[in-house]
Amino acid sequence: MLTINIFFPLFTGLIILLFPKDKGKAVRITALAGTLITLILSAIILAGYDVSKGGMQWITDVPWIPSINAGYTIGVDGLSLSVILLTDVLMLMVMLYVVDKRDRAKEHAFLFLLMQTGLLGLFSSSDLLLFYLFFEIGLVPMYFIIGIFGSERRKYAAMKFFLYTRAGSLAMLISFLSLYLSVDPHTFSLQRIIQAEPFAGSVQTGGFVMLGMLIGFGVKLPTFPLHNWLPDAHVEAPTEGSVILAGIQLKMGAYGILRVMIPALPMAVSHYNFWLILLGIFSMVYAALAALAQKDLKRLIAYTSINHMGYVMTAAGIWGLTQSESIKQLALNGAAYQIISHGLLTGGMFFIAGMLQHKAGTRDMDKFGGLLGVIPIFSTLLGILAFASLGLPGFSGFIAEFQVIGASVGENIWAAICIIAGLILMTALYLKIIVNMLFGKPPDDMPAVSELNNRNSFIVGMLICISLFLGILPGYLTGLIQSGTKLLTGIL
Amino acid sequence: MILLLLIPLFPLAAALILLLPGNLFRDKAGIISSSFTLISLILIILLYSTSGKIDMIWFSTAGLNLTFSLMIGGLEWLASLITAGIGLAITIFSIKFIDERRQYFFRVFSFFIGSMLTLVLSDSFILTFISWEFVGLSSFLLIGFWFKEQDAKEASRKAFLMTRIGDFGFLLALLLILVSFGSTDISSFLNSLTGQHNLSPVLLSFLFLMAAIGKSAQLPFTSWLPDAMAGPAPVSALIHSATMAAAGVFLLLRLFPLFQASEITLTWITWIGGITALTAAFTASTRYDIKRILAWSTISQLGEMFFVVGLGGALAAAFHLTVHAVFKAGLFLTAGVIGHSAGTKDIRKLGNLRRYLPYTSAAFILCGLALSGFPPFGGFWSEEEIMSETLKHGAAYSSFMLVLIFLAGVYISRAWSAVFADWKGNSNIQADKPGMMIIYPMLSLGFLAVISGFLLKLNIESLLPFPSFPSIGWGWRSASIAASVSGLTYGTLRVLKSGPVPSFGSVFSYLTNVVDAFVILPVKIVRFASEMVNSFEGILDSAVKTVSATVLVLAKADDGAEMVFDRTAKSLSSFIIKSADSVDSCEVTGISHWTDKFAFSFSAAGKGLSKIQTGKIFVYTLIVFSWIIIIAFIAGSFFVFR
């Protein structure tokens, strides 16, 4: 069942390839239906998942390349299920957003569907080689999406994206191989590697292995100083590409940290916790400052992503720092909640930035003013998203952030204060968006803008509603996440 | 106790009803809003002198239970009574006063009152924090109600940002308590202050103090409150009296046992409050905008409350908070009427409005006398309580209070005379008479300002859990009356003689520049840091480009490289298909292939898009791509064959 879920988007994509070239509409509707069915399939898997039991379920474990002990081992726990559902929801919204785009519809839909298979596979795999394979399948289509469908400097951005992520995943692969070799008998099975506790005796070797993963996941997260590809990629990518890039692709790094790095190398993570925390909070403050200086709305949101994902890195460091099981879990819960929350909110932000650009032809924030009086629905949605992103209670972001800050405050109050400094900068930043763009009088040379149509309002409104639901009633998702993170901490 | 739950829920429900789309309730919005607040008020009155608590678990994470609980005791009852009562009067006033975007206005207004009621009734740190943030959000939305105006735009930004900086102190303290104490219940935390948890009351109380300073606009977070009068008058009335600005003092009172456990924090509170009160009172005597005068007066009065809380006089502070809420709400409503009827709020352009606005003038006088501590009006009683507390600490503190009382008399009588009296050279401006729906709420607040002090004096000691103190002797009492009377006289005479000039010379108007420096400096630092980071980003960008360019040159240097790469790539990728069982070769291929790609991509860079699709890069990437898909198929076939 899980296998069907993973490969269903690819299957839809292959069907689409059979369509004649001029059937743009049919392609779009098939793709939309495909993502909808995928979402339903994932929902069925969620319904069949026993939260009270927790741990890995829906397991399929067959040998794949027996000679090197690599298996087709997939399964889901609460953590992966929530990321899978996020992927499905965002993909559905993307397909809905592009439903009336006719330009090269076949290639476009195929690339997105292929990527979805890669992402779903990544979030389900419990075997490192499989993990790596799906990681690549998730990455490569994005290169084409930026390169073919992007704006003026798309080639430069695509190349930069590609080189950075390639270098990152190679470093990751080397780390995976050393994990493979360190376990006797050699195996790629994540579970067996975790049980064998590789490099338990040698923290330094473990540190190098961790560094490899840190580069691999850090590029995707992204974290300072590996973030340089992100602003360009976002600015040049088409709207739907940015949404997926920020909404899910960055989560590949975050998910990798939680799923592979921490469980496989707990000793190294504990030993180098200071550096992880430093990396996390420095990225957060740095990105917030960089974002403050931006004039391009998309570029600004890109930098805020670096800030938001810094919570995951910091949480990993705090996980290593603390002795208390409960704080460890709080940190991981917060990080996982942030993954979901950021996917929804920043996805929404990129949608809305794209919609604005589509109408006005520019994203230069200085060109806009007083939008609340001109296009009230658009402005209200943008305002809500901004408040949600700055961590207002009632939205999912607050739940995520207070768990991470809560985990750090008892262990190292300075770390918490640095996070808060970043949050203050973020507050100023989002207020700048709200006040400068929505309040005041429209400048004389403001480009013509028009109100969102119903479909676009629905897309953004839907993402806001999910975030609001997760912010007001966080119990279900924290329970689900915890059934996964409990496993991560429980083993150790 | 279900009634307790309903108190905040009614205004929140009104907000929810008014959220319905369009302008469904455009004309009825005010009626809905005020009737729902009225129900809350009735419920509060019904719960007089009861105590009780409701507990709910919101959610749990990592073994920590986050609770939502409401409780009512004396302090909570008094605070919710002020909120709902004054909120109701202002809502009724707004029905006729607000004439645009009514549904929006009343939606946010109800939400504001509901959030504040939650805040005062909450017995859980997390719920208090959430409503604390919601109060900040509603203030932002209401201050920015006239969002097209430049000053509303800047004021709303400033209000939200400055108060939120303080809010993070609250968040840190709350999280410290959550992780060390394992619960966010306020009562049980206060009951076990001396218990076995390694939390320092000094740290916690300072963090909470930060939040209180932000909301109550004490130094250095002062400047947002005077700017906040860019919002409509009812909004200012609510913010200054019963909600936003009052929340800070309320927090000090609610967590008073915690502050008591930390001497040093109390000292700080006294000093911050005292300096703020004095600075703000002098500043108030120099302003020309009637709403700004009132705003600085609020800051000064809140400073007075901080001052006395720091000395240990929680009861006096609670007393003054209540009385102040009544007369300050009344004063802001009269200011709204003045601005609305006469078309300006600048006191230099006003004068002799008594003839047109007799009721407004009367309400202003009643509330103003209450402010100045004139007997037997409201402020007289509460300030007497404050004096009796300060006396315990020494005559210097009490004399300081006399100065504050004198200054309050000066600035409020200056404001009244400039607006309503016939001073020499006034412009004899005309004004429209307001309707009854506007006059009634205003006058009733004026009436309450007269009697509230005396009424409270009878009950407050039994109502609140704070220690009471002996009454002051006739010596100090007559001194305070004298201070009030001389202040009133001085302020009035000066206006009658030389017009609405600053009462003590314009020197004091520069005090605000000092205050603003607290704000401008950090903003400048952040701007500078942000520019630095941005230029560093640029450097990073060009560094990456330089490295790539170098690689490109190296790649081009070898003409044969392409051919070699070409061959290896092809042979290796076919090799992979055959031998997927050797992961080491996967690795080699991966690396060499992508080095190839690296070189290629740069040699192709700069050409048009069509090249990407038809050129070599596309073919190459496709090869890798099919490589990946083929591996996937192998995986699939394994799966099928089993």
Side-chain angles (χ1 to χ4, degrees):
Chain A
M1 180 69 190
L2 190 55
T3 306
I4 298 174
N5 186 22
I6 294 172
F7 288 100
F8 192 81
L10 181 61
F11 172 70
T12 318
L14 292 174
I15 291 179
I16 282 173
L17 284 186
L18 301 176
F19 279 47
K21 217 167 186 164
D22 53 344
K23 295 270 185 205
K25 193 175 175 191
V27 166
R28 288 306 185 195
I29 290 175
T30 315
L32 184 63
T35 47
L36 183 63
I37 294 171
T38 314
L39 176 63
I40 294 170
L41 287 173
S42 304
I44 294 172
I45 290 176
L46 174 69
Y49 182 82
D50 185 354
V51 179
S52 56
K53 208 172 107 206
M56 282 287 170
Q57 294 174 21
W58 293 94
I59 298 173
T60 306
D61 185 7
V62 289
W64 167 31
I65 311 173
S67 55
I68 56 164
N69 263 334
Y72 176 76
T73 317
I74 54 171
V76 286
D77 64 2
L79 176 62
S80 30
L81 261 178
S82 33
V83 192
I84 285 173
L85 282 166
L86 173 74
T87 311
D88 291 344
V89 168
L90 279 181
M91 277 293 178
L92 181 64
M93 293 301 162
V94 159
M95 288 306 172
L96 192 59
Y97 176 70
V98 296
V99 87
D100 57 358
K101 263 195 186 174
R102 294 286 174 268
D103 175 37
R104 305 170 72 95
K106 262 171 73 173
E107 291 92 325
H108 188 273
F110 177 73
L111 287 170
F112 272 97
L113 289 167
L114 177 67
M115 185 160 61
Q116 187 175 11
T117 287
L119 293 165
L120 294 183
L122 171 75
F123 297 139
S124 311
S125 48
S126 302
D127 180 278
L128 288 183
L129 196 62
L130 199 63
F131 186 97
Y132 176 74
L133 175 74
F134 280 125
F135 201 85
E136 293 301 333
I137 301 181
L139 281 181
V140 177
M142 187 49 93
Y143 164 70
F144 288 104
I145 290 168
I146 300 176
I148 299 177
F149 301 96
S151 42
E152 303 93 56
R153 291 170 68 232
R154 63 191 155 224
K155 283 186 56 185
Y156 171 68
M159 199 52 66
K160 208 166 166 185
F161 165 80
F162 203 74
L163 293 176
Y164 263 94
T165 45
R166 278 307 312 171
S169 42
L170 284 179
M172 181 181 92
L173 183 61
I174 293 170
S175 287
F176 283 4
L177 287 173
S178 26
L179 283 179
Y180 167 77
L181 294 172
S182 71
V183 181
D184 196 34
H186 299 340
T187 177
F188 279 107
S189 157
L190 185 57
Q191 204 187 350
R192 257 172 276 160
I193 289 176
I194 292 171
Q195 277 161 359
E197 295 190 26
F199 307 111
S202 157
V203 174
Q204 252 155 16
T205 326
F208 276 111
V209 177
M210 185 179 84
L211 186 67
M213 286 192 210
L214 212 52
I215 293 173
F217 299 138
V219 165
K220 288 262 70 175
L221 195 57
T223 184
F224 181 87
L226 306 171
H227 65 284
N228 190 260
W229 60 273
L230 182 83
D232 286 314
H234 270 305
V235 168
E236 302 307 324
T239 303
E240 62 276 14
S242 295
V243 170
I244 295 301
L245 190 57
I248 313 169
Q249 293 232 326
L250 304 189
K251 285 22 178 216
M252 295 161 72
Y255 181 82
I257 289 178
L258 298 185
R259 171 66 75 216
V260 183
M261 192 176 95
I262 293 179
L265 297 164
M267 296 295 285
V269 173
S270 300
H271 192 259
Y272 294 103
N273 69 69
F274 172 77
W275 297 105
L276 293 177
I277 295 178
L278 191 68
L279 202 58
I281 57 182
F282 184 78
S283 291
M284 289 164 82
V285 176
Y286 180 88
L289 283 172
L292 262 179
Q294 305 306 321
K295 291 190 163 44
D296 180 329
L297 186 58
K298 254 182 148 182
R299 215 177 167 82
L300 183 150
I301 305 168
Y303 277 109
T304 65
S305 293
I306 305 177
N307 171 288
H308 281 136
M309 296 320 287
Y311 283 92
V312 177
M313 187 65 85
T314 314
I318 290 161
W319 185 91
L321 173 65
T322 179
Q323 300 300 318
S324 144
E325 282 301 320
S326 147
I327 299 290
K328 275 182 200 275
Q329 197 155 10
L330 190 63
L332 293 190
N333 284 357
Y337 219 95
Q338 179 73 332
I339 291 178
I340 307 299
S341 163
H342 177 260
L344 296 168
L345 294 174
T346 305
M349 269 292 191
F350 274 117
F351 267 127
I352 214 146
M355 290 164 190
L356 183 66
Q357 182 187 22
H358 185 67
K359 298 213 156 65
T362 174
R363 299 176 309 251
D364 186 347
M365 290 168 39
D366 292 348
K367 292 229 162 66
F368 298 98
L371 289 179
L372 190 55
V374 187
I375 38 175
I377 297 179
F378 172 89
S379 306
T380 312
L381 291 175
L382 175 56
I384 297 174
L385 277 175
F387 269 113
S389 307
L390 62 78
L392 192 78
F395 292 95
S396 51
F398 172 68
I399 308 288
E401 285 161 18
F402 100 78
Q403 292 186 69
V404 177
I405 302 172
S408 63
V409 78
E411 300 302 322
N412 185 341
I413 195 160
W414 295 108
I417 289 173
C418 289
I419 301 178
I420 297 260
L423 255 176
I424 292 174
L425 293 175
M426 295 295 273
T427 307
L429 180 74
Y430 284 110
L431 274 183
K432 184 174 134 188
I433 298 181
I434 298 170
V435 171
N436 290 5
M437 289 181 68
L438 308 184
F439 286 12
K441 292 193 180 78
D444 296 333
D445 59 343
M446 188 166 86
V449 286
S450 56
E451 190 56 284
L452 294 185
N453 62 22
N454 288 342
R455 184 160 49 85
N456 286 353
S457 317
F458 171 80
I459 291 172
V460 180
M462 202 60 209
L463 294 176
I464 290 175
C465 284
I466 300 174
S467 166
L468 201 58
F469 173 77
L470 295 178
I472 295 174
L473 296 170
Y476 183 70
L477 185 58
T478 42
L480 187 63
I481 287 172
Q482 194 152 310
S483 71
T485 53
K486 209 187 276 173
L487 188 78
L488 298 184
T489 47
I491 287 173
L492 307 158
Chain B
M1 271 298 112
I2 188 77
L3 290 183
L4 184 54
L5 190 61
L6 291 177
I7 294 173
L9 280 186
F10 265 103
L12 292 177
L16 210 57
I17 291 172
L18 296 175
L19 202 59
L20 289 175
N23 287 322
L24 215 54
F25 304 104
R26 189 172 49 210
D27 298 321
K28 301 275 180 295
I31 313 280
I32 293 176
S33 179
S34 45
S35 49
F36 276 65
T37 310
L38 177 67
I39 298 173
S40 283
L41 181 63
I42 293 170
L43 290 175
I44 293 166
I45 293 170
L46 287 178
L47 286 176
Y48 175 64
S49 82
T50 53
S51 59
K53 186 170 173 177
I54 306 180
D55 261 321
M56 291 160 283
I57 289 186
W58 182 27
F59 75 103
S60 46
T61 172
L64 301 165
N65 283 333
L66 289 123
T67 52
F68 272 1
S69 42
L70 296 178
M71 74 161 249
I72 194 160
L75 178 66
E76 293 77 19
W77 183 81
L78 188 62
S80 54
L81 183 73
I82 311 173
T83 311
I86 292 175
L88 178 63
I90 300 174
T91 317
I92 294 172
F93 177 88
S94 312
I95 293 176
K96 283 279 177 269
F97 190 81
I98 296 292
D99 43 15
E100 52 172 326
R101 293 162 71 214
R102 282 206 195 134
Q103 187 166 339
Y104 173 79
F105 179 86
F106 285 108
R107 177 197 308 155
V108 184
F109 213 73
S110 285
F111 181 68
F112 201 172
I113 296 175
S115 308
M116 188 65 194
L117 285 172
T118 317
L119 196 161
V120 298
L121 292 174
S122 155
D123 194 31
S124 125
F125 283 111
I126 183 84
L127 184 59
T128 311
F129 179 75
I130 291 173
S131 40
W132 186 267
E133 292 278 278
F134 284 169
V135 167
L137 173 68
S138 337
S139 301
F140 171 83
L141 294 173
L142 287 173
I143 295 168
F145 183 69
W146 289 315
F147 63 88
K148 288 179 186 155
E149 309 301 325
Q150 187 63 26
D151 54 347
K153 180 177 152 181
E154 292 308 326
S156 55
R157 182 212 309 262
K158 205 171 185 180
F160 191 79
L161 190 56
M162 280 183 108
T163 54
R164 199 155 200 257
I165 292 174
D167 293 357
F168 287 122
F170 196 136
L171 184 64
L172 277 181
L174 138 77
L175 290 170
L176 268 176
I177 292 170
L178 175 67
V179 293
S180 332
F181 192 67
S183 141
T184 53
D185 196 80
I186 297 181
S187 313
S188 48
F189 171 73
L190 291 179
N191 286 335
S192 56
L193 267 178
T194 49
Q196 290 301 311
H197 51 82
N198 45 1
L199 282 175
S200 133
V202 178
L203 175 64
L204 286 181
S205 57
F206 263 104
L207 290 172
F208 280 120
L209 175 61
M210 237 178 96
I213 286 176
K215 278 275 192 287
S216 285
Q218 300 296 293
L219 285 172
F221 295 137
T222 302
S223 65
W224 70 267
L225 192 57
D227 289 359
M229 45 114 256
V235 174
S236 310
L238 197 60
I239 288 178
H240 284 259
S241 62
T243 52
M244 183 85 170
V249 179
F250 175 79
L251 188 73
L252 295 188
L253 298 176
R254 185 72 182 81
L255 304 178
F256 190 60
L258 172 68
F259 289 99
Q260 270 182 316
S262 165
E263 270 303 315
I264 173 122
T265 321
L266 285 181
T267 316
W268 273 83
I269 297 177
T270 309
W271 279 96
I272 291 174
I275 295 172
T276 312
L278 195 65
T279 321
F282 274 118
T283 311
S285 74
T286 63
R287 301 284 108 159
Y288 295 109
D289 185 314
I290 177 112
K291 281 176 84 179
R292 269 187 197 270
I293 297 174
L294 295 178
W296 282 104
S297 149
T298 304
I299 298 172
S300 172
Q301 299 286 313
L302 293 168
E304 235 171 75
M305 296 173 213
F306 268 65
F307 177 70
V308 73
V309 167
L311 294 176
L315 183 69
F319 196 161
H320 197 55
L321 181 66
T322 315
V323 178
H324 172 260
V326 174
F327 65 67
K328 195 47 73 63
L331 284 172
F332 266 106
L333 294 189
T334 59
V337 173
I338 294 164
H340 206 260
S341 308
T344 175
K345 288 174 299 203
D346 189 332
I347 55 173
R348 287 168 295 190
K349 297 182 189 146
L350 294 165
N352 210 5
L353 279 182
R354 237 174 348 174
R355 295 170 299 157
Y356 300 103
L357 307 169
Y359 294 112
T360 314
S361 166
F364 197 108
I365 290 177
L366 294 180
C367 295
L369 287 177
L371 168 71
S372 70
F374 188 79
F377 293 74
F380 169 73
W381 302 96
S382 56
E383 261 153 6
E384 192 173 291
E385 293 287 334
I386 296 179
M387 295 277 283
S388 83
E389 181 62 38
T390 54
L391 263 182
K392 282 199 289 192
H393 297 264
Y397 292 101
S398 307
S399 316
F400 179 69
M401 273 308 297
L402 290 181
V403 175
L404 291 181
I405 292 173
F406 171 76
L407 288 174
V410 172
Y411 63 67
I412 201 65
S413 60
R414 168 174 176 261
W416 182 86
S417 335
V419 175
F420 294 103
D422 187 11
W423 45 276
K424 212 171 128 196
N426 79 70
S427 54
N428 259 322
I429 194 167
Q430 305 224 330
D432 318 325
K433 285 192 170 37
M436 278 299 136
M437 282 289 278
I438 285 181
I439 288 173
Y440 278 136
M442 208 162 61
L443 272 183
S444 49
L445 283 175
F447 175 67
L448 271 177
V450 179
I451 59 164
S452 59
F454 182 67
L455 281 182
L456 270 173
K457 175 77 184 161
L458 297 176
N459 292 313
I460 196 156
E461 289 183 6
S462 57
L463 190 63
L464 297 186
F466 304 121
S468 56
F469 18 74
S471 72
I472 56 174
W474 275 103
W476 281 104
R477 187 170 292 160
S478 29
S480 91
I481 296 173
S484 160
V485 171
S486 53
L488 289 168
T489 322
Y490 175 76
T492 318
L493 287 180
R494 189 161 164 95
V495 171
L496 290 181
K497 199 162 147 253
S498 33
V501 292
S503 309
F504 305 100
S506 48
V507 170
F508 289 105
S509 60
Y510 297 113
L511 274 176
T512 45
N513 294 11
V514 182
V515 174
D516 284 346
F518 283 115
V519 184
I520 293 165
L521 191 67
V523 169
K524 281 202 169 148
I525 293 174
V526 166
R527 283 229 178 100
F528 178 73
S530 161
E531 286 306 322
M532 289 294 286
V533 165
N534 199 35
S535 46
F536 181 72
E537 280 289 283
I539 295 169
L540 202 63
D541 231 14
S542 42
V544 170
K545 272 182 205 156
T546 319
V547 171
S548 326
T550 320
V551 173
L552 175 62
V553 171
L554 288 178
K556 271 190 180 162
D558 191 346
D559 276 347
E562 267 183 42
M563 289 277 285
V564 178
F565 279 136
D566 217 355
R567 248 178 278 130
T568 37
K570 266 182 198 151
S571 58
L572 281 177
S573 46
S574 58
F575 180 63
I576 296 298
I577 298 165
K578 278 183 282 175
S579 56
D581 55 343
S582 156
V583 81
D584 287 9
S585 61
C586 280
E587 174 61 2
V588 171
T589 325
I591 292 172
S592 63
H593 179 85
W594 289 107
T595 324
D596 166 34
K597 171 125 195 43
F598 189 88
F600 257 89
S601 42
F602 277 91
S603 65
K607 293 174 194 165
L609 169 67
S610 55
K611 287 281 180 191
I612 274 207
Q613 292 147 33
T614 56
K616 281 183 183 169
I617 289 187
F618 187 73
V619 176
Y620 272 90
T621 320
L622 209 61
I623 291 173
V624 180
F625 210 47
S626 45
W627 165 57
I628 290 168
I629 290 176
I630 285 164
I631 294 183
F633 270 120
I634 295 172
S637 52
F638 261 100
F639 184 59
V640 170
F641 282 123
R642 279 186 62 90

